[in-house]
Amino acid sequence: MKYIRFQKDNQIYYGVVKGNSITQLDGDYITGETRPLSTEFALDEVEVLTPVEPRQVLCIGLNYEAHAEETGKPIPEEPMMFMASPSAVTAHGTEITLPNLDHRIDYEAELVIVIGKEAKEVKKEEALSFIFGYTVGNDVSNRHLQKKDGQFTRAKSFAGFKPLGPVIETDLDPNNASIKLKLNGEVKQESNTNDLIHTIEDLVVKATEVMTLSPGDVIYTGTPSGVGPLSPGDVVEAEVGGIGVLKNHVISK
Ligand code: MG
């Protein structure tokens, strides 16, 4: 099932997408059981919103071997975790603003976990049952500040640096999904989540050893190799097979 949050005529709706059609739901799919209503919308006539408004945005670094290699960093024995500000989250179709053209600012296509129920000290065999579904993310990163600060909060948290969407897919094998990023139509990243060093289950286990995750919280699971810089005027498309394409335009401040 593909869940979507969207806006039409200044009103926010929740729905399920099939082809170009959205069936409206009677409430927020993250907070409880929902039922379909009889109202239908055309997908191309609504404004797509982020599928969730997370309270916590957890990110995993260096979770594909080839990406760890391209950054010159050793492969982490345990998932390398950092947080980004929820205020950086932005929807499919919005603009990514580059705050400083002297800084290198990179795209990073990622599979994103959406938590479905309160998760604390989760066991591996139960990990998938705490997940509502999966969406696509772009972990936009200011490399200059990442290096300068020695930690990632500032580099990863500018407004618009965490595109998310367009939908949440609930029927997906998260450990075997194709992942791709196109910059101005050219493929720059191409891999599969079966190359993840730490699996989806491992990430939920390790994260919830530390913090309690709530419905709607998200985990960016790491990016494959092929990261590179964004420039004003670019069109960046992150794609996970079975979910969809997350497309954003890049502008300067
Ligand atoms: Mg990343």
Side-chain angles (χ1 to χ4, degrees):
M1 206 100 101
K2 285 184 166 63
Y3 288 95
I4 189 167
R5 195 170 70 96
F6 62 100
Q7 188 165 316
K8 175 89 176 165
D9 301 328
N10 290 319
Q11 201 158 343
I12 294 172
Y13 299 94
Y14 300 86
V16 172
V17 182
K18 237 184 204 168
N20 187 43
S21 178
I22 304 172
T23 302
Q24 191 190 342
L25 296 172
D26 64 350
D28 182 354
Y29 39 76
I30 287 295
T31 53
E33 292 283 307
T34 52
R35 283 178 308 140
L37 301 173
S38 55
T39 327
E40 303 263 327
F41 292 83
L43 182 58
D44 53 15
E45 288 174 5
V46 304
E47 183 191 340
V48 178
L49 301 176
T50 58
V52 282
E53 293 181 291
R55 202 181 65 166
Q56 301 189 85
V57 178
L58 177 64
C59 305
I60 308 300
L62 306 173
N63 203 18
Y64 289 83
E65 204 173 316
H67 175 59
E69 274 167 18
E70 77 180 348
T71 64
K73 304 253 170 60
I75 292 165
E77 260 176 52
E78 294 187 277
M80 199 278 273
M81 297 180 206
F82 61 92
M83 307 295 294
S85 170
S87 66
V89 170
T90 194
H92 166 76
T94 62
E95 288 163 339
I96 300 168
T97 304
L98 304 181
N100 187 332
L101 295 182
D102 296 332
H103 293 179
R104 177 170 158 164
I105 297 170
D106 282 3
Y107 53 79
E108 293 189 354
E110 307 201 5
L111 172 73
V112 176
I113 298 168
V114 179
I115 296 295
K117 54 184 181 183
E118 188 167 296
K120 186 184 182 184
E121 296 175 1
V122 170
K123 293 188 186 74
K124 186 166 182 170
E125 56 274 21
E126 292 170 1
L128 294 182
S129 72
F130 287 84
I131 296 173
F132 178 77
Y134 304 89
T135 187
V136 187
N138 188 348
D139 176 20
V140 178
S141 306
N142 183 321
R143 299 295 184 215
H144 176 82
L145 295 179
Q146 201 174 349
K147 200 175 264 181
K148 185 177 182 187
D149 292 354
Q151 55 104 319
F152 299 174
T153 308
R154 191 159 68 130
K156 302 276 191 173
S157 295
F158 286 91
F161 270 29
K162 291 292 156 286
L164 198 64
V167 299
I168 299 172
E169 174 60 74
T170 51
D171 306 316
L172 185 84
D173 178 356
N175 293 305
N176 186 16
S178 63
I179 182 162
K180 192 191 278 188
L181 184 132
K182 284 189 203 165
L183 188 66
N184 304 319
E186 194 185 323
V187 176
K188 296 287 190 182
Q189 295 185 281
E190 197 164 20
S191 187
N192 188 295
T193 58
N194 61 21
D195 282 332
L196 284 171
I197 296 166
H198 302 287
T199 64
I200 299 304
E201 291 88 337
D202 289 340
L203 298 182
V204 172
V205 169
K206 284 293 179 184
T208 62
E209 275 178 8
V210 182
M211 64 191 83
T212 302
L213 296 174
S214 300
D217 285 350
V218 295
I219 307 175
Y220 283 67
T221 59
T223 199
S225 62
V227 299
L230 294 167
S231 305
D234 282 347
V235 176
V236 61
E237 294 170 274
E239 179 175 1
V240 175
I243 305 176
V245 178
L246 169 68
K247 181 175 174 177
N248 297 89
H249 296 262
V250 181
I251 60 170
S252 58
K253 199 167 182 178

